Amino acid sequence: MTDFTAERPITRKPDFSDAHLRKRYRAEARFRLYGIAAIFAALAMLTILLGSIVSAGSSAFTQTEIALDVSLDPSLIDPDGTREPAALAKGNYRKIVRDAMRSQFPDVSGRRNLRALYKLVSTGSDFTLRKIVEADPTLIGTTQTIWFKSSADIDQLNKGSISRDVPEGDRRVNDAQIGWFDTLGEDNRTRRSFNTTFFTAGDSREPEQAGVWGAVVGTMLTLFVTLILSFPIGVMSAVYLEEFAPKNRWTDLIEVNINNLAAVPSIVFGLLGLAVFLNFFGLPRSAPLVGGLVLALMTLPTVIIAGRAALQSVPPSIREAALGVGASPLQTVSHHVLPLAMPGILTGTIIGMARALGETAPLLMIGMVAFIVDIPRGFTDAATVLPVQVFLWADAPERAFVERTSAAIMVLLAFLILMNLAAVLLRRKFERRW
């Protein structure tokens, strides 16, 4: 006789009591509440981010200007009276602008005070006057009222970024300059106008002369090189791996490496471009050609992965039907499968290009962080791109570059929104539901 007694199986019955049901309903309600709270938290962070960028950068779209009565003395512009463009380009326009300032405030004397007076207008005012004279030489010998850009400090004062209440030694605009600017305002010789220079000029050391057009052109050239390289190579690679490649360990190894390359930090591609394209092949530094090559290497895995996913989404019946009527495998892919998968491929490509547009790290390694004033005219000209321009301006010590940094971010965001909008429209237009 033993103490062993067989254990009876325990049968658990579902708890349908009201208390248990109320507990489950409360748990579901809490889960929905957590989800809604997470969405609102994300929207709040996004609103704060966009609000701070817009509030800081919207003022960069306007620029303070000062009107001066300029006497276009022929002896200072074209003493020989030839009116040739080469002679007009050598005119002493700086003295003409300074004479106009002194005639506006004849009581100002002394070298220090005059230097402070001249700082009311931009240092590029003489270039502005030269362009006006070159466009219309008949103005020589007359007196014209011309609007010049103010200096960056006066512009910040007019926009309220420089407070008048702080002690004079703690601000970049002294009391005399504030008094002269107020006098000009009382004579209706100051205004705030749309800052076209910001959208039409390249970079500059002077904030009032700085623009994003050079970076925009460099961005478009770089993305063009990226697109024409990454799209055909990525699509052909995806088609081969998905439709024709044998399934063995080598293709598995290639697929794993492609998936890993998509997650490699972008700075690694910059180091690769520095070593291969610049040091080995000797391609021009800071050029859209090299930038596009580096970004193409970075975008290629994304295009291949998106292409393979789009090809996989095409039903096998399409392939079987094409083969059934006598089409070759290549005809099946090129005439039927690839056109049907193209919307998904285009969407993935645009998303990859949008990522390339926002990348900065790989471009820093190939020298596109250089200070470039001229607008690039070709793929081998020195250029920069919008993310790098934002990086450069964010590091500038001048206060006026703060608003221009935020304004450049707004331009960059507009580019990204347009590219993502194009991806959405393409997907909706060509989307196929099986």
Side-chain angles (χ1 to χ4, degrees):
M1 184 176 182
T2 63
D3 297 336
F4 175 79
T5 56
E7 294 183 358
R8 296 181 178 179
I10 300 175
T11 302
R12 293 183 177 179
K13 297 181 179 179
D15 187 358
F16 294 111
S17 63
D18 293 340
H20 184 70
L21 289 177
R22 284 195 296 271
K23 182 179 178 181
R24 291 175 54 186
Y25 291 155
R26 285 196 298 270
E28 289 186 11
R30 284 197 301 272
F31 183 78
R32 287 198 298 268
L33 184 61
Y34 294 154
I36 294 173
I39 292 173
F40 275 101
L43 290 177
M45 293 298 106
L46 180 62
T47 303
I48 292 173
L49 174 64
L50 295 179
S52 62
I53 292 174
V54 172
S55 62
S58 57
S59 59
F61 299 134
T62 60
Q63 173 69 37
T64 303
E65 293 183 330
I66 296 176
L68 295 176
D69 295 330
V70 178
S71 178
L72 301 173
D73 189 353
S75 62
L76 296 176
I77 300 175
D78 187 15
D80 300 330
T82 61
R83 301 298 188 265
E84 294 293 332
L88 297 179
K90 297 179 180 178
N92 192 353
Y93 300 101
R94 176 170 298 181
K95 186 176 187 309
I96 295 175
V97 175
R98 291 185 173 183
D99 289 344
M101 294 291 295
R102 295 175 67 175
S103 63
Q104 190 68 35
F105 298 97
D107 296 335
V108 179
S109 61
R111 184 176 180 180
R112 184 175 182 180
N113 290 333
L114 286 174
R115 190 164 58 246
L117 177 64
Y118 299 152
K119 289 183 179 178
L120 290 183
V121 296
S122 171
T123 55
S125 298
D126 50 340
F127 296 101
T128 302
L129 183 59
R130 190 186 74 180
K131 290 181 179 178
I132 294 174
V133 173
E134 288 177 343
D136 188 5
T138 60
L139 297 177
I140 298 175
T142 64
T143 299
Q144 301 290 327
T145 300
I146 299 175
W147 289 91
F148 295 99
K149 294 182 182 299
S150 69
S151 65
D153 293 333
I154 295 298
D155 182 54
Q156 293 298 298
L157 174 73
N158 191 33
K159 293 175 180 175
S161 300
I162 296 179
S163 175
R164 297 167 179 254
D165 299 331
V166 300
E168 183 180 11
D170 295 338
R171 48 180 153 81
R172 293 176 59 88
V173 182
N174 59 36
D175 292 339
Q177 290 174 315
I178 293 177
W180 296 327
F181 180 72
D182 291 342
T183 302
L184 290 170
E186 292 169 359
D187 294 340
N188 294 324
R189 288 183 175 274
T190 63
R191 69 180 183 184
R192 285 181 65 175
S193 60
F194 184 71
N195 188 7
T196 55
T197 303
F198 182 77
F199 296 98
T200 59
D203 197 6
S204 174
R205 298 293 185 193
E206 305 298 331
E208 69 274 8
Q209 301 292 334
V212 296
W213 182 239
V216 170
V217 174
T219 301
M220 290 190 292
L221 292 175
T222 303
L223 289 182
F224 180 76
V225 175
T226 304
L227 180 63
I228 62 173
L229 290 177
S230 63
F231 181 72
I233 297 176
V235 172
M236 287 188 290
S237 301
V239 168
Y240 177 76
L241 290 174
E242 190 62 32
E243 301 292 338
F244 299 103
K247 301 300 179 184
N248 53 36
R249 65 176 63 185
W250 292 108
T251 54
D252 292 341
L253 181 64
I254 292 174
E255 291 175 6
V256 169
N257 280 282
I258 290 174
N259 294 331
N260 290 333
L261 283 175
V264 168
S266 58
I267 189 69
V268 177
F269 291 100
L271 292 171
L272 177 65
L274 175 65
V276 176
F277 300 128
L278 296 184
N279 295 338
F280 186 76
F281 289 107
L283 294 178
R285 197 178 184 88
S286 308
L289 176 62
V290 181
L293 288 170
V294 173
L295 293 181
L297 290 176
M298 190 189 69
T299 310
L300 200 54
T302 304
V303 178
I304 295 175
I305 294 172
R308 295 192 64 189
L311 292 170
Q312 290 172 358
S313 65
V314 178
S317 58
I318 300 295
R319 298 175 178 82
E320 295 169 357
L323 294 173
V325 295
S328 66
L330 181 60
Q331 290 175 327
T332 301
V333 173
S334 59
H335 294 175
H336 302 281
V337 178
L338 190 58
L340 294 174
M342 192 54 69
I345 297 175
L346 289 176
T347 302
T349 302
I350 292 177
I351 293 174
M353 295 295 294
R355 181 199 170 196
L357 174 62
E359 286 293 343
T360 305
L363 302 180
L364 299 181
M365 300 303 298
I366 59 173
M368 296 194 78
V369 70
F371 175 72
I372 308 297
V373 176
D374 298 329
I375 308 299
R377 297 182 178 180
F379 295 104
T380 57
D381 290 348
T384 186
V385 293
L386 275 172
V388 179
Q389 189 67 75
V390 171
F391 174 78
L392 288 173
W393 284 355
D395 198 38
E398 288 82 0
R399 187 186 186 91
F401 275 120
V402 175
E403 62 179 16
R404 279 159 178 77
T405 301
S406 298
I409 292 174
M410 293 168 65
V411 175
L412 179 60
L413 289 176
F415 261 94
L416 291 172
I417 291 173
L418 287 176
M419 295 186 70
N420 283 280
L421 181 63
V424 172
L425 293 178
L426 285 174
R427 185 170 63 248
R428 288 189 176 182
K429 182 175 179 61
F430 299 105
E431 187 176 20
R432 297 284 190 274
R433 295 185 181 277
W434 312 103

